[in-house]
Amino acid sequence: EVDFWIIPIIQGFVQIEELVVNYSESSDDDKSSPETPPQESTCVDDIHPTFLVALISRRSRHRAGMRYKRRGVDKNGNVANYVETEQLIHVHNHTLSFIQTRGSVPVFWSQVGYRYNPRPRLDKSK
């Protein structure tokens, strides 16, 4: 009955930007030449395509912690500091997606302190 009061939140980052790519087939020498007549600027979508780019990073709530304080994997398979980053690009009614994941090395290990670079300790046998 209290689900009404619980608000789901994501720990992460979201940014959405619209980018316009201005490119020309003429060389840099042609652009800087005084004899080159000025060209009218056209705003056609095929000449200056508009891209909508979104970057979304989501951090797992399982085994979250500081980088040197939380390491390895737990018995449920959750690695420490797991982050999933998705890049979305939308252009000409097409949407492309690329997902990258990162996290701690998925073995049972820990590291005591980080000041003097101690060697990692394996916590379980094979």
Side-chain angles (χ1 to χ4, degrees), residues 20-23 39-49:
V20 177
V21 178
N22 295 318
Y23 62 89
Q39 297 178 354
E40 293 183 23
S41 61
T42 56
C43 193
V44 179
D45 194 35
D46 289 336
I47 296 174
H48 303 288

Side-chain angles (χ1 to χ4, degrees), residues 6 29 31 38 71 88 124:
I6 298 174
D29 295 336
K31 292 178 189 174
R71 297 289 188 134
L88 294 161
K124 294 195 176 196

